[in-house]
Each structure stands twice: as C-alpha cells, then as structure tokens.
Amino acid sequence: MNNGALITAENLVKQYPIGGRKFTALNDVNLTVQKGEFLGLVGPSGSGKTTLLNIIGALDYPTSGSAIVIGTDTKELSHRESARLRNEHLGFIFQTYNLLPVYTVFENVEFPLLLLGMDTEDRKKAVMGILDRVGLADRAASRPSQLSGGESQRVAVARAMVKKPKVVLADEPTANLDAENSHNVLQMMAKLNEEFQSTFIFATHDEKVIGYLRRKITLNDGRVAEDIETTPQYN
Amino acid sequence: MTRFLLKGLIRDHHRSLFPVIIVTAGVMTSILGYCFMHGIIDDMVRSNAKLDTGHVKVMTRAYGDISRQLPNDLAILNVGDLIGDLEGDYPHMEWTARIKFGGLIDLPDEHGETRSQGPSFGIALDLLGPNSRERDRLGLKKALVRGHLPQAPGEILISEEFANRLGADMGDLATLVSSTAHGGMAVQNFTIVGSVRFGIAPMDRNAIIANLSDVQYALDMEDSAGEVLGFFPNLIYDDKIAKKTARDFNSKIHQPEDEFSPVMLTLREQGGLGEYLDTVNSRVAIILFGFFFVMSLVLWNAGLMSGIRRYGEMGVRLAIGESKGHVYRSLLGESILIGTVGSILGTAIGLGFSYYLQEVGLDISSMTKGSNMLMANIMRAKITPASYYIGFLPGLLATLVGSAISGIRIFKRQTAQLFKELEV
Ligand SMILES: Nc1ncnc2c1ncn2[C@@H]1O[C@H](COP(=O)(O)OP(=O)(O)OP(=O)(O)O)[C@@H](O)[C@H]1O
Ligand SMILES: [Mg+2]
C-alpha cells in the first residue's frame, strides 16, 4: 500500500462555506508520511495547518480528495470507526493542554487505556511508566489546576503517548510555554519518537519546534509551498 | 469506564450537586403540592359525605330540587320500607335516614321565660340504634368538647360555639321551635347533654344534632325522612360503584313523572361537587405540569451551560477515541442518575413535609369563618400511594429531556469545531 506509507494525502481539498461563498482552506494537498517521521507543518497563520492536522486525525473530513491514515480512507469511516482509529492509533496534543480538570494526573493519562479496555494492572503499569518518562510520577495524584503550564503539557504528552500510538498529532504544543519548558517538552517528544518509533506531526510556527524537525512542510494559502528534509538543530 | 465517568460526575459539583439540588427542590415542591391538594380534596369529599351528601343520597325529586330550603313537606314517606328495600338490593352499602331541619333554639330560665335564643341548623340521625354507625361516621366522640353523647331519647348535642353564644350549660333544657312537615307549629323540648366542634365553619356556627325518632315525632314525620344516605362501609367514596348503584336504583324505582318518587344521586351529582372537584383536580394537574415545564427549562438551561462548559471535555474525549454515541449516552446516563437521585431525595423530603402537614395541618380558620363550604378549618396534606412515585415523572423526565436536548448540540457539532470553540 503506497510503498508502506503511514499517511497519504491525495489531492486534498477542504472548503468552508462562508456566507454563501466557499472559502478554500486546503487546496490540492499531496503528501506521504512514513513510519517514525518527526515532521512539522509550518506556515503563516491561516495557511491551513490545523485544518490539515484535523483531517489526518479523522476529526474533520476533506471536501474532495482523500486522506489515507494507517491503511484506511478516513472519508469511509463511520463515527464509531473513526473513534476507534483515534483510540487505537492516534494521540493528540493541543496548544491548551486540554486536561480534564476533575481528574487527577493519573486518571487523565489512564483515560485512553480505559477506552481501549485494558485491565487495571496493565493500566497502572503503563500510566506510571509514562509518567516516569515525562518526570511527573510524583505528581500522579495532583489535579491539573495544581500544575504549571510546562507540567500540564507534559501530562498531555504522557496522555497522548501512553498507548504508544502510531501517530502523534501536536497542534502548537509550545505556544503557551516559555523557552525552557518548550525545549523540555520537545526533547522529551524527540526521545519518545526515537524509542517508540511513533510518528510525530506538528502544526507550528514556533522556531524552537522547527529546530527539532527532521522534515518541514510549508503551507501557504492552503497549498504545499515547500516540503524539505531538515537537520535538527538541537539534540 | 463507568466508574471513571462517575468519579468525574461526583467531583464536578456543577454537573452533580447543583442539578441534584434543582431536581430535589422541584420534586419536593411537586410532591408537597400534590399531597396538599389531595388532602384538601379528600377532606372536602369526606366532610361533605359524612355531613351532607352521603356517598349516595335518596330523596324525592321535589325535595332534591330545593333541598337547600330543607323542605320537609316533600320528604320520603314509608322510609322504613325504603331502607329495607335498599338494604336488600344494595347490601354493599349501609343505609340510614336523616332529617335536616331549621328552627329556633330557645333557652328558658327557671320561670320559663326566654333566657337566650338563636336560629339553628339541625341534623337528625340515628344516634341510639344499637347497629347504627352514624356516631362513628360523624366522628362525634372526637368532636365532643363538653358533656357526653346522647344516650336516651330527648338528648341533643349542640355546637360548642353556639352553646357559648347562648350561654348554654350541659344539662340545660333547650326548646326547638320549628314547623312540622304539614306546616303547623312544632315545639319540642330537648336536653343539651354535650357540645361538639367539627372544625368546619358552617357546622360549628349553629348546629344541633338530635336523634332521628325525636325529630320525626317533633316535626310530625312518623316513618318519614328528608333523605336516605348510603355509605360504603370503609367510608371511601367509589364513584364507579356509586354511579352503578344509582343508575340501577333509578331505573327500577324512580318514576320521572312523579315528583314524589325517590331518586338516588351520587356524591358527585350533588350541589355541583363533582364539577368543583374536577376543577380542583385539573388545577392540580396544571400546576404540576407547570412545575414540570419550568423545571425542564431550568435543567435544560443548566444542561446547556454545562454543555458549553464541557465542549472542551467532549472534544478531548472524542479526540482520544470515544465515539460520539458513547459520549452522548454517557451524558444521558449522567442525567438519569442525577434525575433519580434528585427524585428520590425530593420525594423523601416532600413526603416528610407532607407527613408533617398530614399530622399537624395548616390552620386556615380565619379564611373559612364566613364560608358555607363543608371544609375543615385545618388543611391537611394527604399522602397517597401515588405520592411515592409521582415526583419521578417530572424529576427524571425533566432532567433527561433537558440533557437530551442540550446534548444534541454537542452531537451535531463537527468534532473539529468543538476544539475551535475551546480555543477562544
Ligand atoms: N470552521 C471554519 N469555517 C470557516 N472557515 C474556517 C473554519 N476553520 C478554519 N477556517 C479558515 O480556514 C483557514 C485555515 O485555518 P487553520 O485553522 O487551518 O489555519 P492555521 O494554519 O492553523 O492558522 P494558525 O497558525 O493561526 O493556527 C483560515 O483562513 C480559517 O479562517
Ligand atoms: Mg492552527
């Protein structure tokens, strides 16, 4: 299947109806992503980065063309099937962390495993393991409101990574973090990428993030303007 | 998973505590209102039945047409035979004759001169018969304030208020001045042996209660009576059986062309009581429905508010891989839980208050003072079997409807859109 590509976008078009007219957010996007990549969608605000990320994550659907994610065309999935795809293979990291405030750090990270139907013992092991990796094992019982921004985002990373997904989608994950915390989180993600062979796709215009990428896809007005390999600056 | 969601629900007071309080308050109010209205209706039916209408009443049509004027000249003759027939044909009810009469009560001094007097409303019933249940039906023992119940012919009871007004003591002589069934003057001496208070304004104003045969003699009504009442032995009115009995009796006995032939009316058919009860009942239904409606709106709104507050949570749960159907069902599950807990709490508290109002009651004597309605001065709630479950309808349904409607907005929205709204 497409030379073993993990994700393929073919002639992807996304249009939004705006007051009777159509606004084209993505215009004929083509790209393939292999297993284990660490790539970023960059470009000015409004260029379509989030839109593309949402389509890859089966949270949104293309107007035409197709997005093939881990062997399935997302257009063909029912609500339930796309939920299963996200549950089994995709991890999301958001700009605003989006931890569930009523749950503890442990419970937030545990949630995806509950959905997968994992039993209690395995869940506990997996959650404590990943919390250890992000350096927050001692905060397992804390509530999100008791964490700093950097710590919150590390919990969000742990939540995305705990099920060792094939793909991690991260939309502006450093936008709310200072430089030190940004590097902290990014280094961690780079390490997890190496270790678990999870594919990371960022949407960002943060130079710090770009400094970690191995591939940079620049979007401009919904089109792929540039798609190049880069050498990570940091590491 | 369920435990996980439950934990979240309990920790988030906006989602659990506040809605539960709303439901509890709503259900409690509904139950209290329901029990209270039920108590009032029940009391009215009871009071009317025991003092006036019976569960069914037989009288001549002519008497029935103007029964408020106490027209004893139109009374039923051969009442002994009639009661015998009724007892034979309709043994499921207890039959008893009564005479209502008006007159002047005159208290003489030791010289036989009038000491005090006043107009009076009298009920004559079988107080002395060994098998008579009239004493129990009227609750005379409970109503007794001074003295004792009549034990011999010529003894009467008088309402306490009336006795005080006349300055009557127990054992005093009282002369009834009235008119006979044939239009002549009737004068009869009685001994006041007891005073009673029913807690029902028109009865307590100026009533005397006398033995049937004494009054039959005084008013020249041998073997005749204004009305024959039928009661269900358990004293609970059953409209269906009452109607059936009346229909049967009227088709067999009543002759429409003869205005002196006896006719049977059910409790509901007398004095517009049926329409009155229907009105009250429909008011209660409207009030309950109103509560239900308002509560639904409040809960719906609360659901919407918390729904908007929870777009983020919903978005994350969907992104992590929960299906929309599962999220929606968990919302409904939460609301069922909240509705159930709130309904149970509300029912318990509502029943508690209702029980208090059933045992202690609410004194409205200042409002009933001038009234002619046979209605107790103390309003009491009444707990019926329905009170135990009636609150669940508004409680559970309102919560469910509220969150179902507000949840649809989450369900319909594009998943990606949920994040957009969360970012602003
Ligand atoms: N639901 C929508 N309805 C209408 N237009 C939309 C909608 N979502 C996105 N757009 C438009 O599509 C374009 C691309 O949006 P997108 O969010 O993908 O940009 P972005 O590259 O992520 O920008 P940023 O860097 O600011 O996050 C924007 O011009 C935006 O206004
Ligand atoms: Mg964006």
Side-chain angles (χ1 to χ4, degrees):
Chain A
M1 195 184 300
N2 294 341
N3 338 323
L6 199 61
I7 295 163
T8 311
E10 275 171 3
N11 310 111
L12 208 62
V13 174
K14 178 68 181 181
Q15 290 176 325
Y16 291 112
I18 294 182
R21 291 190 305 131
K22 280 181 184 145
F23 175 81
T24 305
L26 291 177
N27 196 352
D28 196 27
V29 170
N30 289 281
L31 56 88
T32 58
V33 179
Q34 307 295 331
K35 184 170 190 273
E37 284 202 59
F38 202 77
L39 74 86
L41 306 170
V42 302
S45 182
S47 56
K49 305 183 292 291
T50 298
T51 305
L52 182 53
L53 214 57
N54 284 341
I55 289 174
I56 293 171
L59 290 172
D60 208 346
Y61 299 92
T63 310
S64 69
S66 57
I68 293 155
V69 179
I70 315 175
T72 44
D73 190 336
T74 59
K75 239 187 190 168
E76 254 123 64
L77 298 177
S78 66
H79 278 316
R80 191 189 292 261
E81 286 164 342
S82 72
R84 182 173 316 143
L85 172 72
R86 289 194 293 273
N87 186 16
E88 287 174 356
H89 300 303
L90 306 182
F92 287 84
I93 296 167
F94 310 93
Q95 175 178 338
T96 48
Y97 326 136
N98 282 326
L99 301 178
L100 303 177
V102 294
Y103 294 108
T104 63
V105 165
F106 182 94
E107 288 161 346
N108 265 282
V109 178
E110 184 189 22
F111 183 57
L113 303 181
L114 276 168
L115 280 177
L116 281 172
M118 195 182 274
D119 67 47
T120 319
E121 272 309 300
D122 293 346
R123 268 196 331 255
K124 202 167 169 192
K125 224 187 284 167
V127 172
M128 288 320 289
I130 195 75
L131 281 179
D132 200 34
R133 288 301 318 273
V134 301
L136 286 171
D138 56 334
R139 303 304 299 269
S142 301
R143 292 285 185 86
S145 59
Q146 300 164 326
L147 302 179
S148 72
E151 288 167 336
S152 295
Q153 195 59 303
R154 271 145 65 198
V155 175
V157 172
R159 180 177 62 186
M161 293 301 300
V162 70
K163 58 190 176 187
K164 305 201 169 92
K166 290 207 165 86
V167 181
V168 176
L169 303 167
D171 195 353
E172 316 271 16
T174 55
N176 284 321
L177 300 179
D178 61 22
E180 194 189 330
N181 273 310
S182 296
H183 284 297
N184 206 326
V185 167
L186 285 164
Q187 270 164 18
M188 208 177 65
M189 290 199 269
K191 233 183 251 164
L192 290 169
N193 163 254
E194 222 166 82
E195 219 166 288
F196 297 155
Q197 284 299 297
S198 291
T199 302
F200 277 71
I201 304 180
F202 294 88
T204 189
H205 36 227
D206 180 356
E207 286 303 329
K208 295 188 288 300
V209 178
I210 294 167
Y212 283 83
L213 300 178
R214 293 199 297 274
R215 179 179 171 193
K216 190 172 93 175
I217 299 172
T218 308
L219 293 182
N220 209 337
D221 281 340
R223 288 176 184 278
V224 176
E226 192 186 45
D227 184 347
I228 54 167
E229 309 242 320
T230 60
T231 320
Q233 248 172 283
Y234 307 99
N235 264 344
Chain B
M1 187 72 207
T2 310
R3 255 191 54 204
F4 184 83
L5 293 174
L6 228 89
K7 245 190 275 181
L9 178 64
I10 289 166
R11 285 181 199 162
D12 188 351
H13 290 182
H14 289 278
R15 272 155 65 197
S16 50
L17 189 63
F18 298 141
V20 164
I21 289 174
I22 294 170
V23 176
T24 303
V27 168
M28 187 201 78
T29 321
S30 312
I31 299 262
L32 194 57
Y34 176 81
C35 289
F36 208 57
M37 292 313 288
H38 210 88
I40 292 169
I41 291 173
D42 190 69
D43 173 76
M44 276 194 67
V45 169
R46 232 178 246 276
S47 300
N48 273 284
K50 73 179 186 187
L51 294 170
D52 178 18
T53 61
H55 292 145
V56 298
K57 182 194 280 186
V58 182
M59 53 199 162
T60 67
R61 184 157 59 77
Y63 180 98
D65 286 345
I66 50 170
S67 61
R68 277 183 193 286
Q69 301 171 22
L70 312 176
N72 280 322
D73 51 326
L74 306 174
I76 303 167
L77 306 175
N78 302 323
V79 82
D81 289 349
L82 177 63
I83 289 185
D85 289 348
L86 287 167
E87 280 171 346
D89 290 349
Y90 312 108
H92 60 278
M93 299 187 90
E94 297 168 345
W95 302 95
T96 185
R98 285 188 190 175
I99 296 173
K100 286 189 209 147
F101 58 97
L104 205 63
I105 288 290
D106 186 294
L107 295 191
D109 60 15
E110 60 269 30
H111 310 297
E113 305 283 332
T114 297
R115 170 154 62 100
S116 59
Q117 60 172 220
S120 149
F121 164 71
I123 301 180
L125 36 74
D126 184 2
L127 290 174
L128 302 178
N131 297 323
S132 169
R133 286 191 61 199
E134 292 280 73
R135 283 174 302 249
D136 302 335
R137 247 173 237 137
L138 262 68
L140 290 180
K141 255 208 194 102
K142 240 171 83 187
L144 197 67
V145 180
R146 287 186 281 164
H148 60 81
L149 298 185
Q151 286 154 353
E155 296 183 344
I156 60 165
L157 296 171
I158 176 169
S159 79
E160 170 71 10
E161 209 179 293
F162 193 33
N164 288 337
R165 207 156 354 104
L166 294 174
D169 277 323
M170 300 310 102
D172 278 2
L173 202 68
T175 309
L176 168 72
V177 182
S178 183
S179 58
T180 70
H182 307 298
M185 171 115 158
V187 178
Q188 177 78 25
N189 284 332
F190 291 101
T191 310
I192 299 172
V193 296
S195 73
V196 285
R197 184 183 292 126
F198 288 102
I200 295 171
M203 285 298 294
D204 288 339
R205 216 169 292 144
N206 58 358
I208 67 168
I209 293 171
N211 192 37
L212 182 66
S213 49
D214 293 344
V215 173
Q216 281 176 325
Y217 175 74
L219 303 186
D220 212 356
M221 295 174 69
E222 301 298 328
D223 201 24
S224 147
E227 3 190 286
V228 171
L229 303 188
F231 288 97
F232 294 106
N234 60 5
L235 291 182
I236 294 169
Y237 180 65
D238 183 329
D239 193 48
K240 240 193 227 144
I241 300 179
K243 250 194 202 131
K244 210 176 120 213
T245 309
R247 207 182 309 125
D248 188 68
F249 176 87
N250 292 336
S251 70
K252 278 207 284 215
I253 307 288
H254 182 58
Q255 292 154 318
E257 63 282 1
D258 176 5
E259 60 173 352
F260 294 108
S261 94
V263 62
M264 189 184 289
L265 296 180
T266 67
L267 176 145
R268 282 180 60 88
E269 288 164 344
Q270 298 176 51
L273 201 57
E275 289 90 61
Y276 184 78
L277 294 178
D278 286 345
T279 315
V280 174
N281 262 327
S282 68
R283 292 272 155 79
V284 174
I286 289 170
I287 291 170
L288 282 180
F289 184 78
F291 261 124
F292 171 73
F293 189 71
V294 170
M295 206 156 71
S296 292
L297 278 184
V298 171
L299 288 168
W300 173 29
N301 221 343
L304 274 183
M305 296 306 284
S306 87
I308 290 165
R309 229 170 43 85
R310 293 175 74 189
Y311 275 172
E313 179 199 335
M314 298 304 155
V316 172
R317 282 166 62 177
L318 293 170
I320 288 175
E322 211 176 329
S323 72
K324 277 188 173 178
H326 192 273
V327 170
Y328 190 62
R329 278 193 302 277
S330 81
L331 276 181
L332 295 189
E334 277 183 16
S335 74
I336 289 174
L337 198 69
I338 283 165
T340 308
V341 170
S343 297
I344 290 174
L345 282 178
T347 300
I349 299 174
L351 284 177
F353 278 126
S354 299
Y355 183 75
Y356 175 81
L357 280 175
Q358 177 173 293
E359 298 304 310
V360 179
L362 198 70
D363 195 340
I364 53 156
S365 43
S366 60
M367 284 158 70
T368 54
K369 212 159 230 157
S371 129
N372 284 315
M373 284 216 290
L374 293 178
M375 197 172 163
N377 294 334
I378 296 187
M379 291 208 297
R380 289 177 191 282
K382 180 163 200 292
I383 295 173
T384 64
S387 338
Y388 289 90
Y389 58 79
I390 198 156
F392 281 81
L393 182 81
L396 198 55
L397 220 61
T399 332
L400 195 58
V401 168
S403 75
I405 294 173
S406 59
I408 284 172
R409 291 183 47 155
I410 293 174
F411 201 68
K412 284 266 168 71
R413 201 156 299 235
Q414 281 287 315
T415 307
Q417 202 61 30
L418 286 169
F419 290 101
K420 286 257 164 59
E421 270 161 65
L422 161 140
E423 277 164 15
V424 271

